[in-house]
Amino acid sequence: MSTAVHAQEGHDRSDLPLVVRSSVKLGLVQSLVVLAASLSYRFLGGTAESAAVGLLVLGGLAATAILPGLWTRARHAEGIAGAAGIGLGATIVYLVVDVALLQPIGTYSNRWLAIGGGSNWWYHPVWWMAGTFIAWMGATALANQAAKRGNPSPGVLLVSALTAAGLFGVLAVLVGVPGAGWSLGTFGVAFLPGLALAA
């Protein structure tokens, strides 16, 4: 007779094998998004560059916000914490790929280096914090939706987060937040409070 308690299909999951597998999958997705964005910056210009990078950033944000919560079936604190763990683990996987592959092959343009004062290492702590926060808030929003409707709706999460991010971005430009402009960077930063508001 087994005394182990097995998770039921509808309940949160946060077991270590799931978190590790999911972290690797999401980290590889993030790596591909960054590689594609860096190639877009290098080989495209103007409207084509903005459109390509914008779609890639949107896809990366959506994957990071939605997939961890779906994989853990986040309904309570355990699933939300598991999703945040996936977000953190994915950033570690990405950073290994970045250091072992992307930086040695010269992926990043001079613009990327100029932002960090000539170093690629400036964004690693930002990546850890943002990747974990986005997965955490996304899972929280999905858990809230499941509590209200019975099932989470990734589409509703994404639309509400993007709408709030757009409002925060416009507000940042209008009130003159330093560095804010009508740019993809401002939208990317505004997505963080937008997602928190959606949650």
Side-chain angles (χ1 to χ4, degrees):
M1 182 173 155
S2 173
T3 59
V5 176
H6 299 285
Q8 295 178 6
E9 187 63 28
H11 289 70
D12 300 50
R13 292 190 58 198
S14 62
D15 51 290
L16 187 58
L18 173 78
V19 170
V20 171
R21 278 192 314 273
S22 300
S23 295
V24 170
K25 288 190 287 190
L26 184 58
L28 293 176
V29 167
Q30 291 173 347
S31 299
L32 290 173
V33 167
V34 170
L35 176 61
S38 66
L39 293 174
S40 298
Y41 276 128
R42 211 173 260 284
F43 297 113
L44 298 175
T47 305
E49 175 189 309
S50 298
V53 175
L55 289 173
L56 288 164
V57 168
L58 179 61
L61 289 171
T64 304
I66 294 169
L67 292 177
L70 293 179
W71 288 334
T72 62
R73 292 193 299 267
R75 300 296 184 271
H76 305 94
E78 183 178 340
I80 295 168
I86 291 169
L88 176 61
T91 66
I92 294 168
V93 170
Y94 163 73
L95 293 173
V96 169
V97 171
D98 180 52
V99 171
L101 180 64
L102 299 181
Q103 289 185 29
I105 65 173
T107 301
Y108 304 112
S109 67
N110 290 333
R111 281 187 285 177
W112 189 258
L113 290 172
I115 292 171
S119 171
N120 280 322
W121 296 94
W122 63 272
Y123 64 91
H124 285 201
V126 174
W127 197 271
W128 297 330
M129 291 181 285
T132 305
F133 179 81
I134 292 169
W136 171 40
M137 285 293 107
T140 301
L142 292 173
N144 289 341
Q145 291 175 353
K148 291 177 183 174
R149 298 186 188 106
N151 286 314
S153 173
V156 169
L157 166 60
L158 194 57
V159 168
S160 59
L162 292 174
T163 302
L167 293 174
F168 281 126
V170 169
L171 184 61
V173 171
L174 294 178
V175 300
V177 172
W182 304 107
S183 67
L184 187 57
T186 298
F187 170 77
V189 172
F191 185 79
L192 298 174
L195 182 60
L197 184 63

